């Protein structure tokens, strides 16, 4: 693989800091994954981020941050918009979010998908349910169309369902588009608690089978501290993570798992071994505050 391209929205993050204040940073589900992938993959593999930003000071600062992280910023500039912002609240390590993103430039990212069109066989593209949710219908169609074309060229497509009902007009719209996204993906990375709540799956194996039926060749179902369920080559297996005894902040737990899993997979690991790598990275990340934590995979 020569290039890993992550697609979505990077936002201003206000995270709880020591002493009761807040620290400003930049994060977002698919960006978090790109950030950790950069740390997992060798320097010879290029990691890039496709999104859109404004032309104001905070957008320039975000662009510089992305570049300084070793990630190629594939960012369209929308002068009439800026970037979104979210604030994290913590309760015993569990997080909740407040968002300000309605006019975010990233909602217009699908007008410029040249970076996706330039991927070649062996590269990987990664997107999420949040990526789809923030786009208008025409943007969703454009993105999925380009992803399907990339897959036909031999690009591996990875999709984290990342269900966020508040970003959609209703549950039926969310379920329909997530199903369409699974149809263009080689790898689906759902989380069982969300899937059970919105698709009525009885267990992780049911989630895995549903996404495999939708078209994903490899399905990896995250389940918090529970076993990871993998559907690959028609076989369902489980990987049990090591117990985690120190939890500070679960922000980016799933995003970092995705990074550890995908990095190991493209490095030649089996899905089971890759899931173990994802669990190890995620366990290290949730032991510190914030979405982006300097840990060694």
């Amino acid at each position: 693989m020569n290039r890993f391209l992550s697609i979505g929205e990077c936002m201003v993050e206000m995270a709880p800091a020591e002493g009761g204040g807040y620290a400003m940073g930049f994060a977002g589900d698919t960006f978090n994954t790109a950030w950790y992938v950069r740390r997992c993959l060798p320097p010879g593999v290029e990691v890039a981020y496709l999104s859109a930003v404004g032309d104001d000071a905070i957008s320039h600062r975000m662009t510089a941050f992305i570049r300084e992280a070793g990630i190629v910023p594939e960012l369209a500039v929308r002068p009439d918009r800026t970037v979104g912002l979210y604030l994290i609240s913590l309760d015993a390590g569990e997080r909740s979010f407040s968002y300000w993103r309605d006019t975010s430039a990233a909602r217009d990212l699908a007008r410029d998908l040249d970076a996706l069109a330039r991927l070649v066989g062996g590269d990987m593209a990664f997107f999420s349910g949040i990526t789809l949710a923030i786009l208008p219908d025409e943007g969703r169609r454009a993105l999925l169309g380009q992803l399907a074309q990339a897959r036909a060229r031999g690009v591996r497509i990875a999709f984290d369902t990342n269900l966020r009902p508040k970003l959609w007009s209703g549950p039926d719209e969310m379920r329909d588009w997530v199903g369409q996204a699974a149809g263009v993906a080689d790898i689906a990375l759902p989380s069982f608690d969300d899937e059970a709540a919105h698709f009525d799956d009885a267990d992780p194996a049911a989630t895995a089978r549903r996404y495999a039926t939708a078209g994903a060749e490899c399905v990896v179902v995250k389940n918090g501290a529970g076993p990871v369920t993998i559907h690959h080559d028609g076989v369902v297996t489980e990987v049990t993570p090591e117990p985690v005894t120190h939890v500070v902040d679960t922000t980016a737990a799933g995003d970092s798992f995705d990074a550890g899993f995908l990095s190991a997979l493209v490095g030649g690991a089996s899905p089971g071994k890759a899931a173990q790598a994802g669990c190890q990275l995620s366990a290290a990340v949730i032991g510190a505050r914030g979405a982006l934590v300097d840990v060694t995979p």
Side-chain angles (χ1 to χ4, degrees), residues 65-98:
F65 176 81
I66 293 171
R67 187 175 288 110
E68 289 163 6
I71 298 169
V72 177
E74 297 279 6
L75 307 175
V77 176
R78 305 284 182 252
D80 57 335
R81 298 196 184 191
T82 186
V83 295
L85 177 148
Y86 72 94
L87 181 145
I88 300 173
S89 299
L90 290 175
D91 182 7
E94 290 299 322
R95 80 281 195 225
S96 59
F97 301 95
S98 300

PDB file of all heavy atoms in Angstrom, residues 65-98:
ATOM      1  N   PHE A  65      -1.734  21.943  11.791  1.00  0.00           N
ATOM      2  CA  PHE A  65      -1.700  20.830  12.740  1.00  0.00           C
ATOM      3  C   PHE A  65      -1.708  19.487  12.008  1.00  0.00           C
ATOM      4  O   PHE A  65      -0.954  18.572  12.357  1.00  0.00           O
ATOM      5  CB  PHE A  65      -2.909  20.919  13.674  1.00  0.00           C
ATOM      6  CG  PHE A  65      -3.023  19.760  14.624  1.00  0.00           C
ATOM      7  CD1 PHE A  65      -2.273  19.712  15.780  1.00  0.00           C
ATOM      8  CD2 PHE A  65      -3.886  18.709  14.342  1.00  0.00           C
ATOM      9  CE1 PHE A  65      -2.370  18.639  16.653  1.00  0.00           C
ATOM     10  CE2 PHE A  65      -3.998  17.629  15.208  1.00  0.00           C
ATOM     11  CZ  PHE A  65      -3.236  17.591  16.366  1.00  0.00           C
ATOM     12  N   ILE A  66      -2.560  19.378  10.992  1.00  0.00           N
ATOM     13  CA  ILE A  66      -2.628  18.137  10.214  1.00  0.00           C
ATOM     14  C   ILE A  66      -1.286  17.853   9.559  1.00  0.00           C
ATOM     15  O   ILE A  66      -0.766  16.726   9.607  1.00  0.00           O
ATOM     16  CB  ILE A  66      -3.761  18.222   9.175  1.00  0.00           C
ATOM     17  CG1 ILE A  66      -5.131  18.254   9.882  1.00  0.00           C
ATOM     18  CG2 ILE A  66      -3.694  17.061   8.186  1.00  0.00           C
ATOM     19  CD1 ILE A  66      -6.295  18.547   8.963  1.00  0.00           C
ATOM     20  N   ARG A  67      -0.700  18.886   8.957  1.00  0.00           N
ATOM     21  CA  ARG A  67       0.586  18.706   8.277  1.00  0.00           C
ATOM     22  C   ARG A  67       1.689  18.354   9.272  1.00  0.00           C
ATOM     23  O   ARG A  67       2.524  17.474   9.004  1.00  0.00           O
ATOM     24  CB  ARG A  67       0.932  19.983   7.511  1.00  0.00           C
ATOM     25  CG  ARG A  67       2.150  19.859   6.623  1.00  0.00           C
ATOM     26  CD  ARG A  67       2.376  21.103   5.792  1.00  0.00           C
ATOM     27  NE  ARG A  67       1.388  21.245   4.723  1.00  0.00           N
ATOM     28  CZ  ARG A  67       0.441  22.170   4.686  1.00  0.00           C
ATOM     29  NH1 ARG A  67       0.328  23.049   5.681  1.00  0.00           N
ATOM     30  NH2 ARG A  67      -0.409  22.248   3.674  1.00  0.00           N
ATOM     31  N   GLU A  68       1.695  19.010  10.422  1.00  0.00           N
ATOM     32  CA  GLU A  68       2.718  18.734  11.433  1.00  0.00           C
ATOM     33  C   GLU A  68       2.602  17.317  11.993  1.00  0.00           C
ATOM     34  O   GLU A  68       3.586  16.760  12.495  1.00  0.00           O
ATOM     35  CB  GLU A  68       2.620  19.762  12.564  1.00  0.00           C
ATOM     36  CG  GLU A  68       3.089  21.152  12.152  1.00  0.00           C
ATOM     37  CD  GLU A  68       2.613  22.238  13.106  1.00  0.00           C
ATOM     38  OE1 GLU A  68       2.015  21.894  14.155  1.00  0.00           O
ATOM     39  OE2 GLU A  68       2.836  23.426  12.803  1.00  0.00           O
ATOM     40  N   ALA A  69       1.400  16.732  11.912  1.00  0.00           N
ATOM     41  CA  ALA A  69       1.203  15.364  12.372  1.00  0.00           C
ATOM     42  C   ALA A  69       1.721  14.342  11.369  1.00  0.00           C
ATOM     43  O   ALA A  69       1.630  13.136  11.614  1.00  0.00           O
ATOM     44  CB  ALA A  69      -0.288  15.115  12.639  1.00  0.00           C
ATOM     45  N   GLY A  70       2.255  14.805  10.246  1.00  0.00           N
ATOM     46  CA  GLY A  70       2.772  13.906   9.228  1.00  0.00           C
ATOM     47  C   GLY A  70       1.711  13.419   8.261  1.00  0.00           C
ATOM     48  O   GLY A  70       1.934  12.458   7.516  1.00  0.00           O
ATOM     49  N   ILE A  71       0.562  14.090   8.262  1.00  0.00           N
ATOM     50  CA  ILE A  71      -0.567  13.717   7.408  1.00  0.00           C
ATOM     51  C   ILE A  71      -0.698  14.747   6.290  1.00  0.00           C
ATOM     52  O   ILE A  71      -0.617  15.958   6.530  1.00  0.00           O
ATOM     53  CB  ILE A  71      -1.866  13.659   8.238  1.00  0.00           C
ATOM     54  CG1 ILE A  71      -1.732  12.587   9.331  1.00  0.00           C
ATOM     55  CG2 ILE A  71      -3.082  13.387   7.364  1.00  0.00           C
ATOM     56  CD1 ILE A  71      -2.846  12.623  10.359  1.00  0.00           C
ATOM     57  N   VAL A  72      -0.900  14.288   5.074  1.00  0.00           N
ATOM     58  CA  VAL A  72      -1.060  15.187   3.925  1.00  0.00           C
ATOM     59  C   VAL A  72      -2.464  15.784   3.959  1.00  0.00           C
ATOM     60  O   VAL A  72      -3.453  15.051   3.904  1.00  0.00           O
ATOM     61  CB  VAL A  72      -0.840  14.438   2.605  1.00  0.00           C
ATOM     62  CG1 VAL A  72      -1.080  15.375   1.412  1.00  0.00           C
ATOM     63  CG2 VAL A  72       0.560  13.843   2.545  1.00  0.00           C
ATOM     64  N   PRO A  73      -2.601  17.115   4.077  1.00  0.00           N
ATOM     65  CA  PRO A  73      -3.933  17.715   4.114  1.00  0.00           C
ATOM     66  C   PRO A  73      -4.522  17.881   2.718  1.00  0.00           C
ATOM     67  O   PRO A  73      -4.096  18.737   1.951  1.00  0.00           O
ATOM     68  CB  PRO A  73      -3.691  19.077   4.783  1.00  0.00           C
ATOM     69  CG  PRO A  73      -2.263  19.401   4.482  1.00  0.00           C
ATOM     70  CD  PRO A  73      -1.532  18.103   4.296  1.00  0.00           C
ATOM     71  N   GLU A  74      -5.495  17.064   2.381  1.00  0.00           N
ATOM     72  CA  GLU A  74      -6.232  17.194   1.117  1.00  0.00           C
ATOM     73  C   GLU A  74      -7.518  17.958   1.433  1.00  0.00           C
ATOM     74  O   GLU A  74      -8.599  17.395   1.522  1.00  0.00           O
ATOM     75  CB  GLU A  74      -6.538  15.807   0.536  1.00  0.00           C
ATOM     76  CG  GLU A  74      -5.324  14.980   0.173  1.00  0.00           C
ATOM     77  CD  GLU A  74      -4.753  15.376  -1.195  1.00  0.00           C
ATOM     78  OE1 GLU A  74      -5.241  16.357  -1.790  1.00  0.00           O
ATOM     79  OE2 GLU A  74      -3.817  14.684  -1.655  1.00  0.00           O
ATOM     80  N   LEU A  75      -7.383  19.273   1.610  1.00  0.00           N
ATOM     81  CA  LEU A  75      -8.464  20.080   2.150  1.00  0.00           C
ATOM     82  C   LEU A  75      -8.921  21.129   1.150  1.00  0.00           C
ATOM     83  O   LEU A  75      -8.153  22.026   0.780  1.00  0.00           O
ATOM     84  CB  LEU A  75      -8.002  20.777   3.441  1.00  0.00           C
ATOM     85  CG  LEU A  75      -7.401  19.873   4.525  1.00  0.00           C
ATOM     86  CD1 LEU A  75      -6.887  20.719   5.679  1.00  0.00           C
ATOM     87  CD2 LEU A  75      -8.440  18.872   5.010  1.00  0.00           C
ATOM     88  N   ALA A  76     -10.171  21.047   0.723  1.00  0.00           N
ATOM     89  CA  ALA A  76     -10.756  22.108  -0.092  1.00  0.00           C
ATOM     90  C   ALA A  76     -11.032  23.314   0.798  1.00  0.00           C
ATOM     91  O   ALA A  76     -11.385  23.158   1.975  1.00  0.00           O
ATOM     92  CB  ALA A  76     -12.048  21.629  -0.734  1.00  0.00           C
ATOM     93  N   VAL A  77     -10.861  24.502   0.261  1.00  0.00           N
ATOM     94  CA  VAL A  77     -11.071  25.726   1.035  1.00  0.00           C
ATOM     95  C   VAL A  77     -12.412  26.339   0.659  1.00  0.00           C
ATOM     96  O   VAL A  77     -12.689  26.578  -0.522  1.00  0.00           O
ATOM     97  CB  VAL A  77      -9.936  26.743   0.790  1.00  0.00           C
ATOM     98  CG1 VAL A  77     -10.211  28.050   1.535  1.00  0.00           C
ATOM     99  CG2 VAL A  77      -8.594  26.153   1.235  1.00  0.00           C
ATOM    100  N   ARG A  78     -13.243  26.578   1.662  1.00  0.00           N
ATOM    101  CA  ARG A  78     -14.543  27.231   1.490  1.00  0.00           C
ATOM    102  C   ARG A  78     -14.490  28.571   2.232  1.00  0.00           C
ATOM    103  O   ARG A  78     -14.699  28.623   3.449  1.00  0.00           O
ATOM    104  CB  ARG A  78     -15.665  26.356   2.059  1.00  0.00           C
ATOM    105  CG  ARG A  78     -15.690  24.941   1.470  1.00  0.00           C
ATOM    106  CD  ARG A  78     -16.269  24.965   0.061  1.00  0.00           C
ATOM    107  NE  ARG A  78     -16.333  23.615  -0.491  1.00  0.00           N
ATOM    108  CZ  ARG A  78     -15.542  23.165  -1.457  1.00  0.00           C
ATOM    109  NH1 ARG A  78     -14.616  23.961  -1.979  1.00  0.00           N
ATOM    110  NH2 ARG A  78     -15.665  21.934  -1.912  1.00  0.00           N
ATOM    111  N   PRO A  79     -14.206  29.682   1.533  1.00  0.00           N
ATOM    112  CA  PRO A  79     -13.985  30.971   2.215  1.00  0.00           C
ATOM    113  C   PRO A  79     -15.177  31.460   3.019  1.00  0.00           C
ATOM    114  O   PRO A  79     -15.013  32.243   3.964  1.00  0.00           O
ATOM    115  CB  PRO A  79     -13.674  31.919   1.050  1.00  0.00           C
ATOM    116  CG  PRO A  79     -13.181  31.041  -0.049  1.00  0.00           C
ATOM    117  CD  PRO A  79     -13.956  29.771   0.089  1.00  0.00           C
ATOM    118  N   ASP A  80     -16.379  31.015   2.683  1.00  0.00           N
ATOM    119  CA  ASP A  80     -17.568  31.496   3.387  1.00  0.00           C
ATOM    120  C   ASP A  80     -17.925  30.640   4.601  1.00  0.00           C
ATOM    121  O   ASP A  80     -18.951  30.882   5.254  1.00  0.00           O
ATOM    122  CB  ASP A  80     -18.768  31.523   2.425  1.00  0.00           C
ATOM    123  CG  ASP A  80     -19.046  30.165   1.804  1.00  0.00           C
ATOM    124  OD1 ASP A  80     -18.109  29.353   1.706  1.00  0.00           O
ATOM    125  OD2 ASP A  80     -20.207  29.912   1.413  1.00  0.00           O
ATOM    126  N   ARG A  81     -17.080  29.658   4.927  1.00  0.00           N
ATOM    127  CA  ARG A  81     -17.369  28.778   6.061  1.00  0.00           C
ATOM    128  C   ARG A  81     -16.146  28.655   6.947  1.00  0.00           C
ATOM    129  O   ARG A  81     -15.076  29.171   6.651  1.00  0.00           O
ATOM    130  CB  ARG A  81     -17.787  27.391   5.561  1.00  0.00           C
ATOM    131  CG  ARG A  81     -19.049  27.395   4.716  1.00  0.00           C
ATOM    132  CD  ARG A  81     -19.612  26.004   4.581  1.00  0.00           C
ATOM    133  NE  ARG A  81     -20.763  25.946   3.709  1.00  0.00           N
ATOM    134  CZ  ARG A  81     -21.557  24.891   3.595  1.00  0.00           C
ATOM    135  NH1 ARG A  81     -21.311  23.791   4.318  1.00  0.00           N
ATOM    136  NH2 ARG A  81     -22.587  24.895   2.776  1.00  0.00           N
ATOM    137  N   THR A  82     -16.313  27.918   8.066  1.00  0.00           N
ATOM    138  CA  THR A  82     -15.200  27.632   8.950  1.00  0.00           C
ATOM    139  C   THR A  82     -15.308  26.181   9.389  1.00  0.00           C
ATOM    140  O   THR A  82     -16.044  25.394   8.787  1.00  0.00           O
ATOM    141  CB  THR A  82     -15.177  28.603  10.150  1.00  0.00           C
ATOM    142  OG1 THR A  82     -13.978  28.366  10.909  1.00  0.00           O
ATOM    143  CG2 THR A  82     -16.397  28.428  11.040  1.00  0.00           C
ATOM    144  N   VAL A  83     -14.557  25.800  10.412  1.00  0.00           N
ATOM    145  CA  VAL A  83     -14.566  24.415  10.882  1.00  0.00           C
ATOM    146  C   VAL A  83     -15.506  24.276  12.076  1.00  0.00           C
ATOM    147  O   VAL A  83     -15.814  25.249  12.763  1.00  0.00           O
ATOM    148  CB  VAL A  83     -13.145  23.952  11.254  1.00  0.00           C
ATOM    149  CG1 VAL A  83     -12.271  23.924  10.009  1.00  0.00           C
ATOM    150  CG2 VAL A  83     -12.520  24.844  12.322  1.00  0.00           C
ATOM    151  N   GLY A  84     -15.963  23.052  12.325  1.00  0.00           N
ATOM    152  CA  GLY A  84     -16.846  22.792  13.440  1.00  0.00           C
ATOM    153  C   GLY A  84     -16.097  22.702  14.765  1.00  0.00           C
ATOM    154  O   GLY A  84     -14.865  22.642  14.805  1.00  0.00           O
ATOM    155  N   LEU A  85     -16.875  22.685  15.856  1.00  0.00           N
ATOM    156  CA  LEU A  85     -16.301  22.621  17.193  1.00  0.00           C
ATOM    157  C   LEU A  85     -17.129  21.672  18.039  1.00  0.00           C
ATOM    158  O   LEU A  85     -18.357  21.606  17.900  1.00  0.00           O
ATOM    159  CB  LEU A  85     -16.280  24.018  17.821  1.00  0.00           C
ATOM    160  CG  LEU A  85     -15.786  24.167  19.264  1.00  0.00           C
ATOM    161  CD1 LEU A  85     -15.102  25.524  19.455  1.00  0.00           C
ATOM    162  CD2 LEU A  85     -16.923  24.029  20.287  1.00  0.00           C
ATOM    163  N   TYR A  86     -16.450  20.927  18.927  1.00  0.00           N
ATOM    164  CA  TYR A  86     -17.179  20.128  19.904  1.00  0.00           C
ATOM    165  C   TYR A  86     -16.500  20.198  21.260  1.00  0.00           C
ATOM    166  O   TYR A  86     -15.297  20.452  21.369  1.00  0.00           O
ATOM    167  CB  TYR A  86     -17.339  18.675  19.452  1.00  0.00           C
ATOM    168  CG  TYR A  86     -16.094  17.821  19.471  1.00  0.00           C
ATOM    169  CD1 TYR A  86     -15.774  17.029  20.571  1.00  0.00           C
ATOM    170  CD2 TYR A  86     -15.256  17.771  18.357  1.00  0.00           C
ATOM    171  CE1 TYR A  86     -14.650  16.230  20.573  1.00  0.00           C
ATOM    172  CE2 TYR A  86     -14.137  16.971  18.348  1.00  0.00           C
ATOM    173  CZ  TYR A  86     -13.825  16.195  19.464  1.00  0.00           C
ATOM    174  OH  TYR A  86     -12.707  15.406  19.456  1.00  0.00           O
ATOM    175  N   LEU A  87     -17.305  19.984  22.304  1.00  0.00           N
ATOM    176  CA  LEU A  87     -16.835  20.024  23.677  1.00  0.00           C
ATOM    177  C   LEU A  87     -17.119  18.680  24.331  1.00  0.00           C
ATOM    178  O   LEU A  87     -18.216  18.127  24.193  1.00  0.00           O
ATOM    179  CB  LEU A  87     -17.529  21.158  24.435  1.00  0.00           C
ATOM    180  CG  LEU A  87     -17.148  21.378  25.898  1.00  0.00           C
ATOM    181  CD1 LEU A  87     -17.198  22.879  26.216  1.00  0.00           C
ATOM    182  CD2 LEU A  87     -18.095  20.630  26.833  1.00  0.00           C
ATOM    183  N   ILE A  88     -16.121  18.138  25.030  1.00  0.00           N
ATOM    184  CA  ILE A  88     -16.247  16.839  25.692  1.00  0.00           C
ATOM    185  C   ILE A  88     -16.589  17.038  27.164  1.00  0.00           C
ATOM    186  O   ILE A  88     -15.965  17.856  27.850  1.00  0.00           O
ATOM    187  CB  ILE A  88     -14.934  16.040  25.596  1.00  0.00           C
ATOM    188  CG1 ILE A  88     -14.558  15.790  24.137  1.00  0.00           C
ATOM    189  CG2 ILE A  88     -15.041  14.722  26.359  1.00  0.00           C
ATOM    190  CD1 ILE A  88     -13.187  15.157  23.972  1.00  0.00           C
ATOM    191  N   SER A  89     -17.579  16.296  27.655  1.00  0.00           N
ATOM    192  CA  SER A  89     -17.871  16.206  29.082  1.00  0.00           C
ATOM    193  C   SER A  89     -17.587  14.775  29.521  1.00  0.00           C
ATOM    194  O   SER A  89     -17.920  13.823  28.807  1.00  0.00           O
ATOM    195  CB  SER A  89     -19.332  16.557  29.369  1.00  0.00           C
ATOM    196  OG  SER A  89     -19.609  17.878  28.956  1.00  0.00           O
ATOM    197  N   LEU A  90     -16.971  14.616  30.695  1.00  0.00           N
ATOM    198  CA  LEU A  90     -16.610  13.292  31.189  1.00  0.00           C
ATOM    199  C   LEU A  90     -17.326  12.972  32.489  1.00  0.00           C
ATOM    200  O   LEU A  90     -17.493  13.833  33.349  1.00  0.00           O
ATOM    201  CB  LEU A  90     -15.096  13.205  31.432  1.00  0.00           C
ATOM    202  CG  LEU A  90     -14.184  13.200  30.201  1.00  0.00           C
ATOM    203  CD1 LEU A  90     -12.727  13.245  30.643  1.00  0.00           C
ATOM    204  CD2 LEU A  90     -14.451  11.983  29.352  1.00  0.00           C
ATOM    205  N   ASP A  91     -17.728  11.709  32.609  1.00  0.00           N
ATOM    206  CA  ASP A  91     -18.326  11.204  33.848  1.00  0.00           C
ATOM    207  C   ASP A  91     -17.787   9.798  34.069  1.00  0.00           C
ATOM    208  O   ASP A  91     -18.187   8.857  33.392  1.00  0.00           O
ATOM    209  CB  ASP A  91     -19.853  11.175  33.727  1.00  0.00           C
ATOM    210  CG  ASP A  91     -20.534  10.696  35.011  1.00  0.00           C
ATOM    211  OD1 ASP A  91     -19.832  10.510  36.023  1.00  0.00           O
ATOM    212  OD2 ASP A  91     -21.768  10.516  34.993  1.00  0.00           O
ATOM    213  N   ALA A  92     -16.838   9.664  35.003  1.00  0.00           N
ATOM    214  CA  ALA A  92     -16.209   8.377  35.319  1.00  0.00           C
ATOM    215  C   ALA A  92     -15.587   7.745  34.072  1.00  0.00           C
ATOM    216  O   ALA A  92     -15.672   6.541  33.861  1.00  0.00           O
ATOM    217  CB  ALA A  92     -17.214   7.436  35.960  1.00  0.00           C
ATOM    218  N   GLY A  93     -14.961   8.576  33.260  1.00  0.00           N
ATOM    219  CA  GLY A  93     -14.279   8.068  32.075  1.00  0.00           C
ATOM    220  C   GLY A  93     -15.143   7.986  30.837  1.00  0.00           C
ATOM    221  O   GLY A  93     -14.622   7.850  29.733  1.00  0.00           O
ATOM    222  N   GLU A  94     -16.460   8.021  30.990  1.00  0.00           N
ATOM    223  CA  GLU A  94     -17.358   7.986  29.838  1.00  0.00           C
ATOM    224  C   GLU A  94     -17.597   9.402  29.346  1.00  0.00           C
ATOM    225  O   GLU A  94     -17.794  10.325  30.138  1.00  0.00           O
ATOM    226  CB  GLU A  94     -18.675   7.311  30.201  1.00  0.00           C
ATOM    227  CG  GLU A  94     -18.539   5.813  30.441  1.00  0.00           C
ATOM    228  CD  GLU A  94     -18.039   5.062  29.216  1.00  0.00           C
ATOM    229  OE1 GLU A  94     -18.442   5.429  28.093  1.00  0.00           O
ATOM    230  OE2 GLU A  94     -17.234   4.134  29.372  1.00  0.00           O
ATOM    231  N   ARG A  95     -17.623   9.564  28.017  1.00  0.00           N
ATOM    232  CA  ARG A  95     -17.722  10.903  27.469  1.00  0.00           C
ATOM    233  C   ARG A  95     -19.071  11.166  26.833  1.00  0.00           C
ATOM    234  O   ARG A  95     -19.750  10.270  26.358  1.00  0.00           O
ATOM    235  CB  ARG A  95     -16.602  11.161  26.465  1.00  0.00           C
ATOM    236  CG  ARG A  95     -16.808  10.594  25.054  1.00  0.00           C
ATOM    237  CD  ARG A  95     -16.522   9.148  24.967  1.00  0.00           C
ATOM    238  NE  ARG A  95     -16.368   8.696  23.586  1.00  0.00           N
ATOM    239  CZ  ARG A  95     -16.927   7.589  23.101  1.00  0.00           C
ATOM    240  NH1 ARG A  95     -17.699   6.845  23.852  1.00  0.00           N
ATOM    241  NH2 ARG A  95     -16.720   7.205  21.865  1.00  0.00           N
ATOM    242  N   SER A  96     -19.436  12.451  26.834  1.00  0.00           N
ATOM    243  CA  SER A  96     -20.566  12.925  26.047  1.00  0.00           C
ATOM    244  C   SER A  96     -20.106  14.197  25.346  1.00  0.00           C
ATOM    245  O   SER A  96     -19.113  14.811  25.735  1.00  0.00           O
ATOM    246  CB  SER A  96     -21.792  13.200  26.927  1.00  0.00           C
ATOM    247  OG  SER A  96     -21.494  14.182  27.912  1.00  0.00           O
ATOM    248  N   PHE A  97     -20.817  14.582  24.277  1.00  0.00           N
ATOM    249  CA  PHE A  97     -20.337  15.664  23.439  1.00  0.00           C
ATOM    250  C   PHE A  97     -21.417  16.720  23.221  1.00  0.00           C
ATOM    251  O   PHE A  97     -22.601  16.408  23.132  1.00  0.00           O
ATOM    252  CB  PHE A  97     -19.926  15.119  22.053  1.00  0.00           C
ATOM    253  CG  PHE A  97     -18.853  14.074  22.106  1.00  0.00           C
ATOM    254  CD1 PHE A  97     -19.170  12.723  22.109  1.00  0.00           C
ATOM    255  CD2 PHE A  97     -17.523  14.439  22.136  1.00  0.00           C
ATOM    256  CE1 PHE A  97     -18.185  11.760  22.138  1.00  0.00           C
ATOM    257  CE2 PHE A  97     -16.517  13.478  22.167  1.00  0.00           C
ATOM    258  CZ  PHE A  97     -16.854  12.135  22.182  1.00  0.00           C
ATOM    259  N   SER A  98     -20.970  17.959  23.096  1.00  0.00           N
ATOM    260  CA  SER A  98     -21.813  19.054  22.620  1.00  0.00           C
ATOM    261  C   SER A  98     -21.155  19.591  21.351  1.00  0.00           C
ATOM    262  O   SER A  98     -19.939  19.792  21.326  1.00  0.00           O
ATOM    263  CB  SER A  98     -21.916  20.166  23.668  1.00  0.00           C
ATOM    264  OG  SER A  98     -22.478  19.676  24.871  1.00  0.00           O
TER     265      SER A  98
END
